[in-house]
Amino acid sequence: MPDQTSPGTLVYTFVYGSKYSEKSPELQQWVQQIMTALKDAHPEVSQFKSTLEFNAWDY
């Protein structure tokens, strides 16, 4: 989604379960793979700055 406070920036939010922590290598690798696939499929997103947000969700 567009960042409401920083024009020209997209915010990507990743919600993860209690099995992982924000800094876990598995989660970081997963996010990297997703971002690479997104940019490969939609190269136009690379023209924007990006911010990654991580939100833990206990389910």
Side-chain angles (χ1 to χ4, degrees):
M1 73 181 123
D3 187 332
Q4 299 300 316
T5 61
S6 183
T9 300
L10 297 175
V11 177
Y12 300 95
T13 302
F14 295 90
V15 178
Y16 58 94
S18 59
K19 180 179 176 181
Y20 300 100
S21 72
E22 182 177 333
K23 301 296 183 193
S24 72
E26 296 90 356
L27 181 62
Q28 294 299 315
Q29 181 179 8
W30 177 68
V31 168
Q32 184 62 41
Q33 289 172 339
I34 290 170
M35 294 304 295
T36 298
L38 172 66
K39 290 176 181 180
D40 287 348
H42 300 280
E44 67 276 11
V45 300
S46 293
Q47 68 183 337
F48 300 99
K49 295 177 189 175
S50 62
T51 299
L52 301 179
E53 291 183 353
F54 296 87
N55 293 322
W57 181 36
D58 293 326
Y59 54 86

mmCIF file of all heavy atoms in Angstrom, residues 7-56:
data_model
loop_
_atom_site.group_PDB
_atom_site.id
_atom_site.type_symbol
_atom_site.label_atom_id
_atom_site.label_comp_id
_atom_site.label_asym_id
_atom_site.label_seq_id
_atom_site.Cartn_x
_atom_site.Cartn_y
_atom_site.Cartn_z
ATOM 1 N N PRO A 7 5.405 10.237 0.433
ATOM 2 C CA PRO A 7 5.032 10.056 -0.975
ATOM 3 C C PRO A 7 6.123 9.319 -1.764
ATOM 4 O O PRO A 7 7.305 9.502 -1.523
ATOM 5 C CB PRO A 7 4.875 11.491 -1.482
ATOM 6 C CG PRO A 7 4.600 12.307 -0.257
ATOM 7 C CD PRO A 7 5.378 11.638 0.841
ATOM 8 N N GLY A 8 5.688 8.475 -2.675
ATOM 9 C CA GLY A 8 6.635 7.723 -3.494
ATOM 10 C C GLY A 8 7.182 6.485 -2.815
ATOM 11 O O GLY A 8 8.113 5.864 -3.314
ATOM 12 N N THR A 9 6.591 6.107 -1.682
ATOM 13 C CA THR A 9 7.045 4.935 -0.932
ATOM 14 C C THR A 9 5.904 3.935 -0.802
ATOM 15 O O THR A 9 4.773 4.306 -0.512
ATOM 16 C CB THR A 9 7.526 5.340 0.478
ATOM 17 O OG1 THR A 9 8.606 6.273 0.336
ATOM 18 C CG2 THR A 9 8.012 4.147 1.267
ATOM 19 N N LEU A 10 6.221 2.667 -1.023
ATOM 20 C CA LEU A 10 5.259 1.594 -0.820
ATOM 21 C C LEU A 10 5.597 0.852 0.470
ATOM 22 O O LEU A 10 6.768 0.608 0.759
ATOM 23 C CB LEU A 10 5.291 0.610 -1.994
ATOM 24 C CG LEU A 10 4.899 1.173 -3.349
ATOM 25 C CD1 LEU A 10 5.088 0.104 -4.431
ATOM 26 C CD2 LEU A 10 3.468 1.667 -3.333
ATOM 27 N N VAL A 11 4.566 0.477 1.211
ATOM 28 C CA VAL A 11 4.742 -0.273 2.457
ATOM 29 C C VAL A 11 4.303 -1.710 2.203
ATOM 30 O O VAL A 11 3.214 -1.956 1.702
ATOM 31 C CB VAL A 11 3.888 0.333 3.600
ATOM 32 C CG1 VAL A 11 4.032 -0.503 4.856
ATOM 33 C CG2 VAL A 11 4.275 1.778 3.855
ATOM 34 N N TYR A 12 5.175 -2.630 2.538
ATOM 35 C CA TYR A 12 4.865 -4.056 2.456
ATOM 36 C C TYR A 12 4.796 -4.581 3.880
ATOM 37 O O TYR A 12 5.755 -4.444 4.639
ATOM 38 C CB TYR A 12 5.948 -4.810 1.672
ATOM 39 C CG TYR A 12 6.089 -4.312 0.265
ATOM 40 C CD1 TYR A 12 7.046 -3.354 -0.066
ATOM 41 C CD2 TYR A 12 5.258 -4.792 -0.741
ATOM 42 C CE1 TYR A 12 7.165 -2.886 -1.362
ATOM 43 C CE2 TYR A 12 5.381 -4.332 -2.045
ATOM 44 C CZ TYR A 12 6.340 -3.378 -2.343
ATOM 45 O OH TYR A 12 6.468 -2.915 -3.623
ATOM 46 N N THR A 13 3.662 -5.170 4.234
ATOM 47 C CA THR A 13 3.470 -5.676 5.589
ATOM 48 C C THR A 13 3.433 -7.192 5.548
ATOM 49 O O THR A 13 2.685 -7.787 4.774
ATOM 50 C CB THR A 13 2.153 -5.139 6.190
ATOM 51 O OG1 THR A 13 2.208 -3.708 6.174
ATOM 52 C CG2 THR A 13 1.964 -5.624 7.614
ATOM 53 N N PHE A 14 4.241 -7.792 6.395
ATOM 54 C CA PHE A 14 4.302 -9.243 6.505
ATOM 55 C C PHE A 14 3.820 -9.643 7.892
ATOM 56 O O PHE A 14 4.328 -9.160 8.902
ATOM 57 C CB PHE A 14 5.738 -9.745 6.281
ATOM 58 C CG PHE A 14 6.222 -9.482 4.883
ATOM 59 C CD1 PHE A 14 6.881 -8.300 4.563
ATOM 60 C CD2 PHE A 14 5.990 -10.413 3.881
ATOM 61 C CE1 PHE A 14 7.312 -8.041 3.279
ATOM 62 C CE2 PHE A 14 6.419 -10.158 2.582
ATOM 63 C CZ PHE A 14 7.083 -8.979 2.284
ATOM 64 N N VAL A 15 2.822 -10.516 7.914
ATOM 65 C CA VAL A 15 2.268 -11.013 9.169
ATOM 66 C C VAL A 15 2.774 -12.441 9.329
ATOM 67 O O VAL A 15 2.691 -13.254 8.412
ATOM 68 C CB VAL A 15 0.729 -10.979 9.132
ATOM 69 C CG1 VAL A 15 0.154 -11.534 10.423
ATOM 70 C CG2 VAL A 15 0.241 -9.557 8.883
ATOM 71 N N TYR A 16 3.311 -12.733 10.498
ATOM 72 C CA TYR A 16 3.886 -14.052 10.728
ATOM 73 C C TYR A 16 3.417 -14.594 12.069
ATOM 74 O O TYR A 16 3.023 -13.854 12.958
ATOM 75 C CB TYR A 16 5.421 -14.007 10.665
ATOM 76 C CG TYR A 16 6.034 -13.056 11.664
ATOM 77 C CD1 TYR A 16 6.455 -13.516 12.906
ATOM 78 C CD2 TYR A 16 6.171 -11.701 11.380
ATOM 79 C CE1 TYR A 16 7.013 -12.650 13.833
ATOM 80 C CE2 TYR A 16 6.721 -10.833 12.288
ATOM 81 C CZ TYR A 16 7.136 -11.306 13.511
ATOM 82 O OH TYR A 16 7.671 -10.446 14.425
ATOM 83 N N GLY A 17 3.456 -15.904 12.194
ATOM 84 C CA GLY A 17 2.995 -16.573 13.399
ATOM 85 C C GLY A 17 4.078 -16.692 14.455
ATOM 86 O O GLY A 17 5.235 -16.335 14.251
ATOM 87 N N SER A 18 3.675 -17.235 15.586
ATOM 88 C CA SER A 18 4.564 -17.323 16.749
ATOM 89 C C SER A 18 5.727 -18.291 16.546
ATOM 90 O O SER A 18 6.673 -18.290 17.323
ATOM 91 C CB SER A 18 3.763 -17.725 17.982
ATOM 92 O OG SER A 18 3.131 -18.975 17.767
ATOM 93 N N LYS A 19 5.690 -19.081 15.496
ATOM 94 C CA LYS A 19 6.781 -20.008 15.204
ATOM 95 C C LYS A 19 8.067 -19.257 14.855
ATOM 96 O O LYS A 19 9.161 -19.761 15.024
ATOM 97 C CB LYS A 19 6.380 -20.932 14.059
ATOM 98 C CG LYS A 19 7.438 -21.931 13.671
ATOM 99 C CD LYS A 19 6.944 -22.832 12.547
ATOM 100 C CE LYS A 19 8.049 -23.762 12.103
ATOM 101 N NZ LYS A 19 7.617 -24.625 10.995
ATOM 102 N N TYR A 20 7.932 -18.038 14.358
ATOM 103 C CA TYR A 20 9.078 -17.246 13.912
ATOM 104 C C TYR A 20 9.220 -15.978 14.731
ATOM 105 O O TYR A 20 8.285 -15.522 15.367
ATOM 106 C CB TYR A 20 8.904 -16.846 12.442
ATOM 107 C CG TYR A 20 8.788 -18.023 11.514
ATOM 108 C CD1 TYR A 20 7.553 -18.452 11.057
ATOM 109 C CD2 TYR A 20 9.918 -18.712 11.115
ATOM 110 C CE1 TYR A 20 7.452 -19.552 10.215
ATOM 111 C CE2 TYR A 20 9.819 -19.803 10.271
ATOM 112 C CZ TYR A 20 8.585 -20.217 9.826
ATOM 113 O OH TYR A 20 8.488 -21.298 8.993
ATOM 114 N N SER A 21 10.409 -15.413 14.673
ATOM 115 C CA SER A 21 10.610 -14.068 15.204
ATOM 116 C C SER A 21 10.944 -13.184 14.003
ATOM 117 O O SER A 21 11.293 -13.675 12.937
ATOM 118 C CB SER A 21 11.759 -14.031 16.220
ATOM 119 O OG SER A 21 13.000 -14.174 15.565
ATOM 120 N N GLU A 22 10.842 -11.889 14.190
ATOM 121 C CA GLU A 22 11.086 -10.960 13.082
ATOM 122 C C GLU A 22 12.480 -11.132 12.489
ATOM 123 O O GLU A 22 12.682 -10.966 11.297
ATOM 124 C CB GLU A 22 10.897 -9.525 13.571
ATOM 125 C CG GLU A 22 11.085 -8.505 12.482
ATOM 126 C CD GLU A 22 10.828 -7.083 12.946
ATOM 127 O OE1 GLU A 22 10.049 -6.891 13.893
ATOM 128 O OE2 GLU A 22 11.440 -6.172 12.372
ATOM 129 N N LYS A 23 13.436 -11.489 13.315
ATOM 130 C CA LYS A 23 14.827 -11.616 12.854
ATOM 131 C C LYS A 23 15.223 -13.038 12.475
ATOM 132 O O LYS A 23 16.375 -13.296 12.164
ATOM 133 C CB LYS A 23 15.785 -11.103 13.945
ATOM 134 C CG LYS A 23 15.542 -9.652 14.330
ATOM 135 C CD LYS A 23 15.805 -8.717 13.186
ATOM 136 C CE LYS A 23 15.615 -7.280 13.623
ATOM 137 N NZ LYS A 23 15.561 -6.362 12.542
ATOM 138 N N SER A 24 14.278 -13.982 12.492
ATOM 139 C CA SER A 24 14.632 -15.367 12.192
ATOM 140 C C SER A 24 15.091 -15.493 10.740
ATOM 141 O O SER A 24 14.525 -14.867 9.838
ATOM 142 C CB SER A 24 13.460 -16.308 12.458
ATOM 143 O OG SER A 24 12.456 -16.135 11.490
ATOM 144 N N PRO A 25 16.111 -16.293 10.504
ATOM 145 C CA PRO A 25 16.621 -16.464 9.133
ATOM 146 C C PRO A 25 15.558 -16.995 8.172
ATOM 147 O O PRO A 25 15.514 -16.594 7.018
ATOM 148 C CB PRO A 25 17.761 -17.472 9.285
ATOM 149 C CG PRO A 25 18.150 -17.409 10.712
ATOM 150 C CD PRO A 25 16.924 -17.024 11.481
ATOM 151 N N GLU A 26 14.683 -17.863 8.659
ATOM 152 C CA GLU A 26 13.645 -18.421 7.791
ATOM 153 C C GLU A 26 12.689 -17.333 7.317
ATOM 154 O O GLU A 26 12.344 -17.277 6.139
ATOM 155 C CB GLU A 26 12.844 -19.515 8.523
ATOM 156 C CG GLU A 26 13.661 -20.729 8.899
ATOM 157 C CD GLU A 26 14.299 -20.612 10.282
ATOM 158 O OE1 GLU A 26 14.187 -19.559 10.935
ATOM 159 O OE2 GLU A 26 14.913 -21.595 10.719
ATOM 160 N N LEU A 27 12.277 -16.483 8.230
ATOM 161 C CA LEU A 27 11.364 -15.406 7.866
ATOM 162 C C LEU A 27 12.046 -14.418 6.931
ATOM 163 O O LEU A 27 11.464 -14.003 5.923
ATOM 164 C CB LEU A 27 10.840 -14.686 9.113
ATOM 165 C CG LEU A 27 9.845 -13.553 8.849
ATOM 166 C CD1 LEU A 27 8.593 -14.083 8.163
ATOM 167 C CD2 LEU A 27 9.488 -12.847 10.153
ATOM 168 N N GLN A 28 13.280 -14.068 7.206
ATOM 169 C CA GLN A 28 14.010 -13.131 6.350
ATOM 170 C C GLN A 28 14.192 -13.705 4.943
ATOM 171 O O GLN A 28 14.054 -12.983 3.951
ATOM 172 C CB GLN A 28 15.359 -12.779 6.980
ATOM 173 C CG GLN A 28 15.231 -11.994 8.277
ATOM 174 C CD GLN A 28 14.525 -10.666 8.086
ATOM 175 O OE1 GLN A 28 14.806 -9.935 7.151
ATOM 176 N NE2 GLN A 28 13.608 -10.355 8.984
ATOM 177 N N GLN A 29 14.479 -15.008 4.848
ATOM 178 C CA GLN A 29 14.643 -15.650 3.543
ATOM 179 C C GLN A 29 13.313 -15.655 2.791
ATOM 180 O O GLN A 29 13.255 -15.377 1.588
ATOM 181 C CB GLN A 29 15.148 -17.078 3.703
ATOM 182 C CG GLN A 29 15.352 -17.790 2.384
ATOM 183 C CD GLN A 29 15.870 -19.203 2.556
ATOM 184 O OE1 GLN A 29 15.948 -19.729 3.671
ATOM 185 N NE2 GLN A 29 16.225 -19.832 1.472
ATOM 186 N N TRP A 30 12.227 -15.951 3.480
ATOM 187 C CA TRP A 30 10.897 -15.965 2.890
ATOM 188 C C TRP A 30 10.548 -14.582 2.335
ATOM 189 O O TRP A 30 10.098 -14.460 1.200
ATOM 190 C CB TRP A 30 9.908 -16.417 3.968
ATOM 191 C CG TRP A 30 8.475 -16.418 3.573
ATOM 192 C CD1 TRP A 30 7.870 -17.232 2.661
ATOM 193 C CD2 TRP A 30 7.454 -15.554 4.086
ATOM 194 N NE1 TRP A 30 6.531 -16.920 2.586
ATOM 195 C CE2 TRP A 30 6.249 -15.907 3.455
ATOM 196 C CE3 TRP A 30 7.448 -14.541 5.032
ATOM 197 C CZ2 TRP A 30 5.054 -15.259 3.730
ATOM 198 C CZ3 TRP A 30 6.247 -13.907 5.308
ATOM 199 C CH2 TRP A 30 5.076 -14.268 4.665
ATOM 200 N N VAL A 31 10.786 -13.543 3.112
ATOM 201 C CA VAL A 31 10.490 -12.177 2.676
ATOM 202 C C VAL A 31 11.346 -11.816 1.460
ATOM 203 O O VAL A 31 10.850 -11.219 0.497
ATOM 204 C CB VAL A 31 10.700 -11.175 3.833
ATOM 205 C CG1 VAL A 31 10.683 -9.739 3.334
ATOM 206 C CG2 VAL A 31 9.646 -11.380 4.908
ATOM 207 N N GLN A 32 12.612 -12.172 1.480
ATOM 208 C CA GLN A 32 13.494 -11.883 0.343
ATOM 209 C C GLN A 32 12.984 -12.564 -0.923
ATOM 210 O O GLN A 32 12.971 -11.962 -1.995
ATOM 211 C CB GLN A 32 14.927 -12.319 0.653
ATOM 212 C CG GLN A 32 15.906 -11.974 -0.441
ATOM 213 C CD GLN A 32 16.009 -10.476 -0.678
ATOM 214 O OE1 GLN A 32 16.017 -9.685 0.251
ATOM 215 N NE2 GLN A 32 16.069 -10.079 -1.922
ATOM 216 N N GLN A 33 12.555 -13.815 -0.806
ATOM 217 C CA GLN A 33 12.028 -14.537 -1.961
ATOM 218 C C GLN A 33 10.758 -13.871 -2.493
ATOM 219 O O GLN A 33 10.578 -13.753 -3.711
ATOM 220 C CB GLN A 33 11.745 -15.996 -1.596
ATOM 221 C CG GLN A 33 12.989 -16.810 -1.379
ATOM 222 C CD GLN A 33 12.689 -18.196 -0.830
ATOM 223 O OE1 GLN A 33 11.629 -18.443 -0.256
ATOM 224 N NE2 GLN A 33 13.634 -19.106 -1.004
ATOM 225 N N ILE A 34 9.899 -13.442 -1.595
ATOM 226 C CA ILE A 34 8.656 -12.781 -2.005
ATOM 227 C C ILE A 34 8.961 -11.466 -2.711
ATOM 228 O O ILE A 34 8.385 -11.165 -3.763
ATOM 229 C CB ILE A 34 7.730 -12.550 -0.793
ATOM 230 C CG1 ILE A 34 7.181 -13.888 -0.308
ATOM 231 C CG2 ILE A 34 6.609 -11.574 -1.130
ATOM 232 C CD1 ILE A 34 6.453 -13.820 1.010
ATOM 233 N N MET A 35 9.855 -10.676 -2.136
ATOM 234 C CA MET A 35 10.176 -9.380 -2.734
ATOM 235 C C MET A 35 10.848 -9.549 -4.099
ATOM 236 O O MET A 35 10.571 -8.799 -5.031
ATOM 237 C CB MET A 35 11.043 -8.555 -1.788
ATOM 238 C CG MET A 35 10.328 -8.141 -0.502
ATOM 239 S SD MET A 35 8.795 -7.223 -0.766
ATOM 240 C CE MET A 35 9.420 -5.723 -1.528
ATOM 241 N N THR A 36 11.702 -10.550 -4.241
ATOM 242 C CA THR A 36 12.345 -10.826 -5.528
ATOM 243 C C THR A 36 11.302 -11.231 -6.564
ATOM 244 O O THR A 36 11.311 -10.734 -7.698
ATOM 245 C CB THR A 36 13.419 -11.922 -5.379
ATOM 246 O OG1 THR A 36 14.418 -11.444 -4.475
ATOM 247 C CG2 THR A 36 14.047 -12.284 -6.711
ATOM 248 N N ALA A 37 10.391 -12.120 -6.183
ATOM 249 C CA ALA A 37 9.336 -12.559 -7.101
ATOM 250 C C ALA A 37 8.434 -11.394 -7.491
ATOM 251 O O ALA A 37 8.046 -11.262 -8.660
ATOM 252 C CB ALA A 37 8.518 -13.675 -6.462
ATOM 253 N N LEU A 38 8.104 -10.532 -6.533
ATOM 254 C CA LEU A 38 7.267 -9.370 -6.819
ATOM 255 C C LEU A 38 7.948 -8.456 -7.839
ATOM 256 O O LEU A 38 7.333 -8.043 -8.825
ATOM 257 C CB LEU A 38 6.976 -8.587 -5.542
ATOM 258 C CG LEU A 38 6.269 -7.244 -5.732
ATOM 259 C CD1 LEU A 38 4.853 -7.448 -6.263
ATOM 260 C CD2 LEU A 38 6.264 -6.449 -4.452
ATOM 261 N N LYS A 39 9.219 -8.168 -7.618
ATOM 262 C CA LYS A 39 9.942 -7.267 -8.515
ATOM 263 C C LYS A 39 10.189 -7.891 -9.887
ATOM 264 O O LYS A 39 10.221 -7.181 -10.889
ATOM 265 C CB LYS A 39 11.244 -6.820 -7.862
ATOM 266 C CG LYS A 39 10.975 -5.887 -6.689
ATOM 267 C CD LYS A 39 12.226 -5.501 -5.948
ATOM 268 C CE LYS A 39 11.874 -4.593 -4.780
ATOM 269 N NZ LYS A 39 13.054 -4.195 -4.019
ATOM 270 N N ASP A 40 10.334 -9.210 -9.935
ATOM 271 C CA ASP A 40 10.473 -9.892 -11.225
ATOM 272 C C ASP A 40 9.159 -9.833 -12.012
ATOM 273 O O ASP A 40 9.163 -9.620 -13.228
ATOM 274 C CB ASP A 40 10.886 -11.349 -11.041
ATOM 275 C CG ASP A 40 12.333 -11.517 -10.626
ATOM 276 O OD1 ASP A 40 13.105 -10.528 -10.696
ATOM 277 O OD2 ASP A 40 12.701 -12.636 -10.218
ATOM 278 N N ALA A 41 8.047 -10.024 -11.317
ATOM 279 C CA ALA A 41 6.743 -10.029 -11.973
ATOM 280 C C ALA A 41 6.238 -8.625 -12.287
ATOM 281 O O ALA A 41 5.498 -8.429 -13.250
ATOM 282 C CB ALA A 41 5.724 -10.761 -11.099
ATOM 283 N N HIS A 42 6.622 -7.664 -11.464
ATOM 284 C CA HIS A 42 6.151 -6.283 -11.616
ATOM 285 C C HIS A 42 7.318 -5.322 -11.452
ATOM 286 O O HIS A 42 7.466 -4.662 -10.423
ATOM 287 C CB HIS A 42 5.066 -5.971 -10.582
ATOM 288 C CG HIS A 42 3.877 -6.840 -10.697
ATOM 289 N ND1 HIS A 42 2.890 -6.630 -11.634
ATOM 290 C CD2 HIS A 42 3.513 -7.954 -10.008
ATOM 291 C CE1 HIS A 42 1.967 -7.567 -11.518
ATOM 292 N NE2 HIS A 42 2.326 -8.378 -10.544
ATOM 293 N N PRO A 43 8.175 -5.225 -12.458
ATOM 294 C CA PRO A 43 9.374 -4.388 -12.335
ATOM 295 C C PRO A 43 9.068 -2.912 -12.039
ATOM 296 O O PRO A 43 9.910 -2.209 -11.500
ATOM 297 C CB PRO A 43 10.086 -4.537 -13.677
ATOM 298 C CG PRO A 43 9.201 -5.329 -14.548
ATOM 299 C CD PRO A 43 8.090 -5.883 -13.740
ATOM 300 N N GLU A 44 7.862 -2.483 -12.331
ATOM 301 C CA GLU A 44 7.508 -1.086 -12.080
ATOM 302 C C GLU A 44 7.537 -0.725 -10.595
ATOM 303 O O GLU A 44 7.715 0.434 -10.245
ATOM 304 C CB GLU A 44 6.134 -0.753 -12.679
ATOM 305 C CG GLU A 44 4.948 -1.450 -12.042
ATOM 306 C CD GLU A 44 4.657 -2.860 -12.558
ATOM 307 O OE1 GLU A 44 5.486 -3.440 -13.289
ATOM 308 O OE2 GLU A 44 3.594 -3.382 -12.211
ATOM 309 N N VAL A 45 7.401 -1.704 -9.701
ATOM 310 C CA VAL A 45 7.431 -1.380 -8.270
ATOM 311 C C VAL A 45 8.828 -0.941 -7.826
ATOM 312 O O VAL A 45 8.967 -0.285 -6.794
ATOM 313 C CB VAL A 45 6.918 -2.525 -7.369
ATOM 314 C CG1 VAL A 45 5.483 -2.873 -7.694
ATOM 315 C CG2 VAL A 45 7.809 -3.741 -7.436
ATOM 316 N N SER A 46 9.829 -1.266 -8.625
ATOM 317 C CA SER A 46 11.199 -0.881 -8.261
ATOM 318 C C SER A 46 11.441 0.623 -8.377
ATOM 319 O O SER A 46 12.430 1.126 -7.859
ATOM 320 C CB SER A 46 12.210 -1.625 -9.134
ATOM 321 O OG SER A 46 12.168 -3.004 -8.840
ATOM 322 N N GLN A 47 10.538 1.328 -9.030
ATOM 323 C CA GLN A 47 10.712 2.777 -9.158
ATOM 324 C C GLN A 47 10.351 3.515 -7.876
ATOM 325 O O GLN A 47 10.625 4.691 -7.734
ATOM 326 C CB GLN A 47 9.884 3.311 -10.321
ATOM 327 C CG GLN A 47 8.390 3.249 -10.105
ATOM 328 C CD GLN A 47 7.609 3.724 -11.321
ATOM 329 O OE1 GLN A 47 8.135 4.466 -12.141
ATOM 330 N NE2 GLN A 47 6.372 3.294 -11.435
ATOM 331 N N PHE A 48 9.755 2.803 -6.917
ATOM 332 C CA PHE A 48 9.353 3.401 -5.649
ATOM 333 C C PHE A 48 10.294 2.986 -4.528
ATOM 334 O O PHE A 48 10.889 1.911 -4.574
ATOM 335 C CB PHE A 48 7.933 2.965 -5.267
ATOM 336 C CG PHE A 48 6.903 3.352 -6.284
ATOM 337 C CD1 PHE A 48 6.454 2.440 -7.220
ATOM 338 C CD2 PHE A 48 6.390 4.637 -6.316
ATOM 339 C CE1 PHE A 48 5.504 2.790 -8.170
ATOM 340 C CE2 PHE A 48 5.441 5.004 -7.255
ATOM 341 C CZ PHE A 48 5.000 4.071 -8.189
ATOM 342 N N LYS A 49 10.406 3.821 -3.526
ATOM 343 C CA LYS A 49 11.077 3.412 -2.292
ATOM 344 C C LYS A 49 10.166 2.388 -1.626
ATOM 345 O O LYS A 49 8.964 2.341 -1.896
ATOM 346 C CB LYS A 49 11.265 4.609 -1.364
ATOM 347 C CG LYS A 49 12.182 5.674 -1.898
ATOM 348 C CD LYS A 49 12.228 6.836 -0.927
ATOM 349 C CE LYS A 49 12.976 8.003 -1.540
ATOM 350 N NZ LYS A 49 12.928 9.186 -0.666
ATOM 351 N N SER A 50 10.738 1.585 -0.749
ATOM 352 C CA SER A 50 9.895 0.608 -0.059
ATOM 353 C C SER A 50 10.240 0.550 1.421
ATOM 354 O O SER A 50 11.369 0.830 1.826
ATOM 355 C CB SER A 50 10.033 -0.775 -0.689
ATOM 356 O OG SER A 50 11.350 -1.246 -0.580
ATOM 357 N N THR A 51 9.233 0.199 2.175
ATOM 358 C CA THR A 51 9.368 -0.003 3.610
ATOM 359 C C THR A 51 8.768 -1.361 3.931
ATOM 360 O O THR A 51 7.680 -1.690 3.449
ATOM 361 C CB THR A 51 8.604 1.092 4.391
ATOM 362 O OG1 THR A 51 9.145 2.358 4.057
ATOM 363 C CG2 THR A 51 8.705 0.876 5.883
ATOM 364 N N LEU A 52 9.472 -2.146 4.723
ATOM 365 C CA LEU A 52 8.960 -3.444 5.150
ATOM 366 C C LEU A 52 8.501 -3.332 6.598
ATOM 367 O O LEU A 52 9.215 -2.793 7.444
ATOM 368 C CB LEU A 52 10.034 -4.520 5.043
ATOM 369 C CG LEU A 52 10.643 -4.758 3.662
ATOM 370 C CD1 LEU A 52 11.707 -5.844 3.744
ATOM 371 C CD2 LEU A 52 9.585 -5.146 2.656
ATOM 372 N N GLU A 53 7.309 -3.852 6.868
ATOM 373 C CA GLU A 53 6.793 -3.908 8.236
ATOM 374 C C GLU A 53 6.560 -5.371 8.575
ATOM 375 O O GLU A 53 6.127 -6.158 7.727
ATOM 376 C CB GLU A 53 5.477 -3.140 8.348
ATOM 377 C CG GLU A 53 5.606 -1.669 8.200
ATOM 378 C CD GLU A 53 4.285 -0.935 8.401
ATOM 379 O OE1 GLU A 53 3.224 -1.598 8.523
ATOM 380 O OE2 GLU A 53 4.309 0.296 8.423
ATOM 381 N N PHE A 54 6.818 -5.713 9.810
ATOM 382 C CA PHE A 54 6.594 -7.070 10.293
ATOM 383 C C PHE A 54 5.651 -7.024 11.470
ATOM 384 O O PHE A 54 5.855 -6.231 12.400
ATOM 385 C CB PHE A 54 7.927 -7.709 10.720
ATOM 386 C CG PHE A 54 8.885 -7.886 9.569
ATOM 387 C CD1 PHE A 54 9.750 -6.881 9.197
ATOM 388 C CD2 PHE A 54 8.893 -9.078 8.850
ATOM 389 C CE1 PHE A 54 10.625 -7.035 8.142
ATOM 390 C CE2 PHE A 54 9.767 -9.244 7.779
ATOM 391 C CZ PHE A 54 10.636 -8.232 7.428
ATOM 392 N N ASN A 55 4.624 -7.870 11.437
ATOM 393 C CA ASN A 55 3.661 -7.912 12.525
ATOM 394 C C ASN A 55 3.479 -9.360 12.969
ATOM 395 O O ASN A 55 3.105 -10.222 12.176
ATOM 396 C CB ASN A 55 2.300 -7.367 12.079
ATOM 397 C CG ASN A 55 2.351 -5.884 11.777
ATOM 398 O OD1 ASN A 55 3.029 -5.141 12.456
ATOM 399 N ND2 ASN A 55 1.655 -5.469 10.749
ATOM 400 N N ALA A 56 3.757 -9.607 14.241
ATOM 401 C CA ALA A 56 3.559 -10.938 14.801
ATOM 402 C C ALA A 56 2.077 -11.158 15.042
ATOM 403 O O ALA A 56 1.355 -10.250 15.439
ATOM 404 C CB ALA A 56 4.327 -11.066 16.117
#
